[in-house]
Amino acid sequence: MTSTAPPEYPDQIDGAVLKVAGVVVLGAIMSILDITVVSVALPTFQTVFDATYATVAWTMTAYTLALATVIPMTGWAADRFGTKRLYIAALVLFTAGSVLCAAATSIEMLVAFRVLQGLGGGMLMPLGMTIMTRAAGPQRIGRLMAVLGIPMMLGPIMGPILGGYLIDIASWHWIFLINLPIGIVAMVYALRVLPADEPSESESFDFVGMLMLSPGLAAFLFGVSSIAEGGEGASFGPRVWVSIVIGALLIVAFVNHALRTSKPLIDLRLFRNRNFTVASISMFVFVIAFMGAGLLFPSYFLQVRGETTLMAGLLIAPQGIGAMLTMPIAGVLADKVPVGRTVPFALGLMAFGFFGFTQVEADTSYWVLCGSLFVMGLGMGGTMMPIMTSALRTLTNHEVARGSTMINIVQQIGGSIGTAVLAMVLTNQLTSAPERPVDPLEFMADGFATTFTVALGLVLLALVPVMFLPRRREPSNLLADSGDTPPVMVH
């Protein structure tokens, strides 16, 4: 009986792999944009549905909680049903949820349909990472992850621009209906170009783990997201701490369960891999700063400078431009140079750009601010995807789906914590009484400057785990599957 040689991958990114990348990027764009595009529609929802801000804010919170709930079971489902089938199912669920959101006639219906949309969207990113990692092979992961990183970087930037534009020229319904043609194209595209993969029939589902982790994540993130929320049960109220404590206890219970069972919902044994652990910690701290600060930039332009929503989105576009310039370069370097030698410099560049916003005033030149955002984007483009590449490179083919799921959970928790912490700092700054009479805009600008200083501190804190990223080339384990199953090939 002859053994099959491991598949050989060309060094360059070929057309077949780029087709797969196109499917994944379409799904990622839909999922990530819908996290931010709704933010500009909240005042419209208040008027249309005659609801309070705290009520309409659930259109964002419900989507985020749905993402967090479904992500843990994505790794098992990918093994059990196959990544292609599950990815198409996720696209169908997300697109159907989008259409139902547009048809909502009450705020309660809209929140419910946002949950449905989030259940589909939560599977798109980890599945996309798995599909691209398997298709690219170990030597091209960095370049393919750079492609996937584009929507991850541009989502927080393009969301407010797109949402403001669609609401201005049409109505709020179109921030959801825009997903219908994109979703149909993505489904047809996925059916034609995604490689078929065989499900693992022997995998059993960890129902006990699901009953601990999914509600635990949802409760924890609900509590964290409520910290800076105004009104009854606001910051540090019983609702916040009860949710956080219950969520944390359920997560701790899951950790104990996962280390004792042979096939847990999330395989925490992945953290025995040093590279995966260091990369996950680096990603966690980085995302806290990146996602938290991402909401501060448009708020400064809206509240202090009095810009329109559309203009505020356009003013932060230099950040996305900078990221797009360095991300492809970082992807190539991640395949050839140890990430521990490049990421610290990229993160330092991001910190340098951030410094400009710590000095912000009510009349700071837009040239200075846009230049700072551009430099910050250059650093971000060289940071996130190389870290993610380092996390997945040394996993076996069978571990990739579980590793992708874990990285997405880390990002979700980090993003929620970052948003809550910086929102709380900003709220405290803007609601505290000034020590002396001062112009209101100057007072607000000082509050933003202080909050940006905290964000800069978080960026610098990320340098600590980043310094432990691998500084020498290590062999990839992507082909080393215990079942001798090679990564899915693209034909």
Side-chain angles (χ1 to χ4, degrees):
M1 185 176 181
T2 58
S3 60
T4 304
E8 294 185 3
Y9 296 88
D11 182 64
Q12 300 299 318
I13 302 296
D14 54 11
V17 173
L18 286 176
K19 290 179 181 178
V20 173
V23 177
V24 174
V25 167
L26 275 177
I29 286 174
M30 291 194 299
S31 174
I32 295 173
L33 276 182
D34 261 58
I35 298 175
T36 56
V37 74
V38 174
S39 62
V40 298
L42 296 185
T44 303
F45 293 157
Q46 284 183 263
T47 302
V48 171
F49 297 115
D50 190 23
T52 64
Y53 181 84
T55 300
V56 299
W58 271 99
T59 57
M60 295 183 65
T61 304
Y63 183 84
T64 303
L65 295 181
L67 257 67
T69 301
V70 76
I71 284 175
M73 62 188 73
T74 303
W76 168 83
D79 290 339
R80 177 64 179 82
F81 301 107
T83 54
K84 179 175 182 176
R85 298 176 188 173
L86 190 63
Y87 193 80
I88 294 173
L91 286 172
V92 171
L93 189 60
F94 181 87
T95 306
S98 299
V99 174
L100 289 172
C101 284
T105 56
S106 69
I107 190 63
E108 292 80 11
M109 288 178 63
L110 181 58
V111 170
F113 293 145
R114 283 285 282 171
V115 171
L116 182 65
Q117 194 185 31
L119 293 176
M123 291 186 284
L124 290 176
M125 280 303 295
L127 281 173
M129 290 168 59
T130 301
I131 291 168
M132 289 180 65
T133 302
R134 290 178 176 178
Q139 303 305 319
R140 302 184 293 176
I141 294 177
R143 280 163 285 178
L144 263 294
M145 294 305 287
V147 174
L148 183 58
I150 292 175
M152 295 182 69
M153 289 293 188
L154 295 185
I157 299 168
M158 295 304 299
I161 297 175
L162 179 62
Y165 177 73
L166 290 174
I167 291 173
D168 284 347
I169 68 165
S171 69
W172 66 268
H173 305 82
W174 284 96
I175 65 176
F176 300 113
L177 287 176
I178 192 68
N179 289 322
L180 179 59
I182 300 176
I184 292 174
V185 170
M187 282 180 246
V188 174
Y189 197 1
L191 282 169
R192 292 181 61 87
V193 306
L194 285 187
D197 55 343
E198 293 299 324
S200 302
E201 298 290 345
S202 61
E203 289 289 330
S204 58
F205 185 60
D206 180 15
F207 284 102
V208 174
M210 182 194 70
L211 293 175
M212 294 177 183
L213 185 58
S214 290
L217 282 174
F220 181 80
L221 295 181
F222 171 78
V224 168
S225 66
S226 300
I227 287 177
E229 183 180 305
E232 184 180 356
S235 58
F236 306 111
R239 181 182 66 173
V240 172
W241 291 116
V242 169
S243 297
I244 291 177
V245 169
I246 291 177
L249 289 175
L250 286 171
I251 292 172
V252 170
F254 170 77
V255 170
N256 181 64
H257 164 77
L259 294 176
R260 294 172 180 268
T261 188
S262 59
K263 293 181 179 179
L265 183 66
I266 296 295
D267 191 0
L268 299 180
R269 297 178 184 88
L270 291 174
F271 287 111
R272 293 173 180 171
N273 183 315
R274 179 186 180 278
N275 282 359
F276 184 83
T277 301
V278 171
S280 297
I281 296 173
S282 301
M283 178 65 70
F284 179 70
V285 182
F286 170 77
V287 168
I288 289 177
F290 169 64
M291 293 299 292
L295 296 179
L296 296 179
F297 301 127
S299 295
Y300 166 78
F301 290 120
L302 289 168
Q303 297 182 44
V304 179
R305 308 305 287 265
E307 298 291 351
T308 64
T309 302
L310 180 58
M311 182 56 67
L314 291 172
L315 284 169
I316 60 176
Q319 187 182 50
I321 295 172
M324 284 193 297
L325 290 177
T326 54
M327 197 171 291
I329 299 172
V332 173
L333 290 177
D335 288 335
K336 301 181 182 301
V337 180
V339 297
R341 297 183 183 275
T342 61
V343 171
F345 294 101
L347 197 58
L349 193 62
M350 179 179 170
F352 179 74
F354 232 125
F355 179 78
F357 274 85
T358 66
Q359 311 300 309
V360 76
E361 298 178 353
D363 57 353
T364 302
S365 168
Y366 279 176
W367 286 104
V368 172
L369 297 179
C370 290
S372 296
L373 284 168
F374 178 73
V375 173
M376 199 181 308
L378 293 176
M380 287 192 303
T383 301
M384 180 177 282
M385 285 304 109
I387 292 177
M388 201 173 293
T389 299
S390 179
L392 299 179
R393 187 189 298 277
T394 55
L395 301 182
T396 66
N397 177 54
H398 183 69
E399 294 171 335
V400 166
R402 303 301 177 94
S404 301
T405 300
M406 182 71 74
I407 289 293
N408 276 268
I409 291 175
V410 167
Q411 290 177 336
Q412 193 66 44
I413 295 175
S416 297
I417 291 176
T419 301
V421 168
L422 293 184
M424 181 174 62
V425 173
L426 180 62
T427 300
N428 290 336
Q429 289 294 316
L430 298 183
T431 56
S432 61
E435 296 179 357
R436 56 182 175 80
V438 64
D439 180 79
L441 288 182
E442 286 292 346
F443 175 71
M444 292 178 65
D446 288 343
F448 272 95
T450 300
T451 310
F452 281 123
T453 301
V454 174
L456 174 59
L458 293 172
V459 174
L460 295 176
L461 182 63
L463 281 169
V464 176
V466 160
M467 297 307 294
F468 291 92
L469 289 172
R471 300 179 63 83
R472 60 184 179 85
R473 295 292 294 172
E474 296 185 6
S476 170
N477 291 328
L478 189 57
L479 298 179
D481 194 349
S482 58
D484 295 324
T485 303
V488 178
M489 290 297 293
V490 181
H491 301 287

